[in-house]
Amino acid sequence: MKRTKYKEVIYGVLIIFFTIVIGVIVSIIIVENGMKSNASNDGWLGFIGGTFGSFLSGIMAIYVLYVNRKDAKKEIQRSEHILIYQQKKVLLDDVCTLLAKLISIAESESYDHEEQKNIARDTCLLIEFKIGKIDSFDKLLEEIQAYNDIFVQGKRDSQTRKEALKMKRQHLMEIMQDLMVTYISEEVS
């Protein structure tokens, strides 16, 4: 990046240098010529100065436009990265909230078991709907389904079921933590 900036500065200095050199050479040719003309040397020098001034202004305007477009493009890319990061963060927050709801339903003893099953099933469907077809979440979806299956198929007061749910919950949390790191850091395509 520094090399590019130096390159741009060198080009700018060379353009200014050549503009001055060409202006001096043209003025010497016009002032020192022996041709008879109705125009005065001052008139010709003013014309050449105006021409080179407008040429130099045009070059500078094009350069400023180039730099502004390059900066705008970088800013747009930066904004896109921020937007995608925010969208991913919102998605992960929603999935974490739903996962916490599923876990609390599965470990709760206060509801009717059939009602808990329905709420857990609906929560799993909502998680699947939120995630959609994002490949990064495939393993998490499988584990959530396995967790829900243990909850739905097991007996309510079974100690084995409670232990299996506890182990699956820990495993789900590990997968979710890994997913949060990898999904957020995935490159934007």
Side-chain angles (χ1 to χ4, degrees):
M1 186 164 183
K2 288 182 180 180
R3 187 176 191 148
T4 304
K5 285 185 179 180
Y6 290 136
K7 200 184 243 187
E8 292 171 356
V9 169
I10 290 171
Y11 287 148
V13 169
L14 286 174
I15 289 171
I16 291 172
F17 175 74
F18 284 122
T19 302
I20 291 171
V21 168
I22 291 172
V24 169
I25 292 172
V26 169
S27 67
I28 290 172
I29 291 172
I30 290 175
V31 172
E32 297 296 325
N33 71 10
M35 292 175 37
K36 300 243 179 196
S37 167
N38 288 337
S40 68
N41 285 339
D42 289 338
W44 278 110
L45 290 176
F47 172 74
I48 295 298
T51 303
F52 280 112
S54 63
F55 174 73
L56 183 61
S57 297
I59 295 284
M60 289 302 165
I62 290 171
Y63 175 72
V64 168
L65 180 67
Y66 166 75
V67 170
N68 285 344
R69 287 181 56 108
K70 191 165 69 170
D71 289 344
K73 187 176 179 180
K74 285 180 186 176
E75 186 60 32
I76 289 170
Q77 287 175 341
R78 187 176 146 306
S79 297
E80 286 174 350
H81 285 295
I82 290 171
L83 179 64
I84 290 171
Y85 170 80
Q86 289 171 342
Q87 289 172 341
K88 286 181 174 185
K89 187 176 180 315
V90 166
L91 175 67
L92 286 173
D93 288 346
D94 290 348
V95 170
C96 285
T97 302
L98 291 169
L99 187 57
K101 180 180 177 182
L102 178 65
I103 290 170
S104 69
I105 291 168
E107 294 179 357
S108 173
E109 300 289 331
S110 61
Y111 294 114
D112 175 34
H113 192 63
E114 284 303 313
E115 184 181 341
Q116 284 179 317
K117 286 180 182 180
N118 291 335
I119 293 172
R121 186 190 71 242
D122 292 344
T123 304
C124 286
L125 290 173
L126 191 54
I127 291 172
E128 284 184 48
F129 177 73
K130 282 274 186 192
I131 292 172
K133 296 189 184 270
I134 301 173
D135 293 336
S136 305
F137 287 88
D138 288 345
K139 186 175 180 183
L140 179 68
L141 284 174
E142 290 172 10
E143 291 301 320
I144 288 172
Q145 192 58 47
Y147 184 83
N148 192 42
D149 289 345
I150 292 171
F151 168 68
V152 170
Q153 293 172 1
K155 293 181 182 175
R156 183 177 179 153
D157 297 326
S158 167
Q159 186 64 27
T160 309
R161 175 182 161 265
K162 288 179 182 178
E163 289 298 319
L165 284 173
K166 183 178 177 182
M167 288 176 53
K168 272 293 182 191
R169 181 187 72 216
Q170 289 172 345
H171 189 63
L172 270 173
M173 291 300 145
E174 290 170 3
I175 291 171
M176 193 63 198
Q177 286 175 343
D178 290 343
L179 185 61
M180 290 174 111
V181 172
T182 56
Y183 181 65
I184 289 288
S185 64
E186 285 178 353
E187 273 302 307
V188 180
S189 41

